[in-house]
Amino acid sequence: MLKAQLQELRMDPKVIEKIVQELGDFTPDMAEKEGVPIHKQICDIWDTIFNFQARDGDIVVASYPKSGTTWMQEILDLIIQEGDIKKSMRAPGFVKVPFLEMGHTSLEVANAMPSPRIIKTHLPVQLMPPSFWEKDVKMVYVARNPKDCMVSYYYFCKMDVTMTDPGTWDNFFSMFMGGNVPWGNWFDHVIGWWKAKDQHNILYVFYEDMIEDARREIQKVMRFLGKDLSEDIVQKILHHTSFKSMKKNPMFNYSALSDTVFDQSVSTFMRKGTVGDWKNHFLESQNIIFDKEYEKRMKGSDLVFRTEL
Ligand code: A3P
């Protein structure tokens, strides 16, 4: 099915194989960039990533891992494709939306892609390649409350074989709190991008707002992109990007990645898609530790997260 679709839309199936291969070659080995823990393979090609040339008209979807990046990338693509699901299914999400820091193939795909490109990144704002600030680029940052984000990241680390084994939930709790996870400390990430939005063309969107009223948030993103689409198209976008639809869409749910990369028998990529699942995982003692740290780190900031709706 995948091959036929790609042929119809004139995309080379070999590109997928190359990207899957590149993702599969990742190992959990970590290194640091300016104090931020990142996969060693990313650090090894850092100069190439940092010198990436953004173009006028590029759209970036940026986030801390497990914040709703995939959801937003499909919304962005469907807005650009004006609700045409066939076009949005031209390739799996990880091919049509190159992952900036993932490797040479991702960068090659991005370089060869016609504008407007959608590019995904988990980089903290201070590590973004400078050309993104120099060109006329629109960025959508998706942020999710840290408790649900932590739970989602825990299951992700269990199923993504390129991640360090998180061990027990208790162990992962400590890793996350200490910022000892790929792409670093959650607080630094969300605060860094929150501050940057005052100087740059960044739309800051909350996962919880999307769950609460996806239509409202899609319209916000449309306005930001300067797109005026009919209610009929908005309804199509809403439908195709609902959790239920995305979970069964092979182009959106990462099933095109082999289980040697994402072992979805351990945990599915489209896992729960809710607000408040943290309550099923946090011990009372962990909640107290977390709330104290949250208060300390967010003091004086007007950035507010909702952990329940
Ligand atoms: P859970 O693990 O809590 O279910 P990312 O794309 O940044 O890796 O984020 C993945 C998280 O977003 C997962 O959270 C996933 O289920 C959720 N997600 C993806 N698409 C979604 C959708 N259409 N609606 C709600 N949640 C979605």
Side-chain angles (χ1 to χ4, degrees):
M1 176 199 176
L2 192 66
K3 273 201 172 157
Q5 260 160 341
L6 285 168
Q7 268 157 12
E8 194 182 325
L9 292 154
R10 298 197 185 87
M11 274 199 80
D12 184 358
K14 287 203 185 88
V15 173
I16 298 193
E17 282 164 31
K18 254 178 109 177
I19 291 191
V20 170
Q21 173 82 41
E22 189 167 80
L23 288 167
D25 285 346
F26 256 69
T27 69
D29 293 342
M30 298 298 289
E32 274 190 10
K33 193 72 340 231
E34 294 180 20
V36 179
I38 311 191
H39 283 90
K40 185 174 174 303
Q41 270 120 322
I42 296 177
C43 294
D44 288 347
I45 58 156
W46 184 252
D47 288 349
T48 313
I49 295 167
F50 202 65
N51 289 317
F52 178 79
Q53 290 306 303
R55 289 185 209 146
D56 288 343
D58 279 346
I59 299 162
V60 170
V61 55
S63 61
Y64 188 81
K66 312 318 294 172
S67 301
T69 330
T70 312
W71 190 6
M72 182 55 77
Q73 88 183 26
E74 296 307 338
I75 290 174
L76 288 168
D77 189 49
L78 270 160
I79 292 175
I80 299 299
Q81 308 302 339
E82 307 198 338
D84 187 333
I85 185 67
K86 208 172 157 211
K87 283 189 186 160
S88 97
M89 287 178 70
R90 67 197 176 281
F94 57 86
V95 174
K96 67 181 180 178
V97 178
F99 190 176
L100 176 65
E101 60 268 33
M102 201 31 77
H104 286 297
T105 310
S106 243
L107 294 171
E108 274 166 34
V109 169
N111 285 328
M113 202 167 258
S115 294
R117 305 179 292 188
I118 304 171
I119 296 169
K120 161 186 165 177
T121 184
H122 287 320
L123 290 176
V125 73
Q126 72 277 14
L127 295 182
M128 281 297 280
S131 68
F132 282 103
W133 310 121
E134 290 154 8
K135 297 289 180 180
D136 183 12
V137 175
K138 288 184 174 162
M139 306 196 187
V140 178
Y141 184 81
V142 197
R144 185 180 195 182
N145 86 72
K147 293 181 179 177
D148 283 324
C149 191
M150 193 192 300
V151 171
S152 182
Y153 211 170
Y154 171 62
Y155 285 102
F156 184 69
C157 288
K158 277 158 102 58
M159 68 84 122
D160 181 349
V161 294
T162 73
M163 290 287 192
T164 308
D165 179 1
T168 61
W169 162 247
D170 197 41
N171 187 56
F172 187 75
F173 180 85
S174 305
M175 284 168 65
F176 188 96
M177 294 304 283
N180 298 319
V181 284
W183 291 279
N185 184 286
W186 178 87
F187 292 97
D188 294 340
H189 210 284
V190 297
I191 293 170
W193 278 93
W194 181 250
K195 286 184 181 156
K197 78 173 185 350
D198 299 332
Q199 276 113 46
H200 301 284
N201 208 358
I202 299 170
L203 178 72
Y204 205 100
V205 180
F206 295 91
Y207 179 89
E208 293 71 30
D209 291 351
M210 291 167 74
I211 291 282
E212 183 179 65
D213 190 344
R215 184 175 173 275
R216 179 191 64 205
E217 298 307 304
I218 288 171
Q219 282 182 322
K220 210 185 266 176
V221 176
M222 273 167 43
R223 276 196 298 275
F224 179 67
L225 298 183
K227 281 277 196 184
D228 185 15
L229 303 175
S230 68
E231 181 56 30
D232 188 37
I233 293 180
V234 173
Q235 286 304 328
K236 273 192 198 160
I237 298 174
L238 251 178
H239 170 71
H240 293 305
T241 58
S242 70
F243 185 82
K244 228 170 116 189
S245 301
M246 281 185 58
K247 194 174 170 75
K248 53 179 194 229
N249 187 327
M251 294 295 166
F252 296 2
N253 66 12
Y254 281 93
S255 56
L257 262 191
S258 95
D259 58 8
T260 54
V261 187
F262 281 6
D263 187 350
Q264 299 213 37
S265 68
V266 172
S267 178
T268 49
F269 182 85
M270 300 289 300
R271 195 184 58 91
K272 277 205 172 167
T274 56
V275 179
D277 188 36
W278 63 272
K279 290 179 193 164
N280 300 317
H281 296 79
F282 273 56
L283 299 174
E284 220 179 299
S285 53
Q286 290 173 332
N287 204 27
I288 293 170
I289 295 170
F290 188 91
D291 286 350
K292 254 195 192 155
E293 179 70 5
Y294 185 91
E295 209 189 313
K296 196 172 95 195
R297 290 298 314 265
M298 304 301 269
K299 203 171 186 172
S301 171
D302 54 350
L303 173 57
V304 178
F305 284 89
R306 292 188 288 170
T307 54
E308 54 195 316
L309 291 179

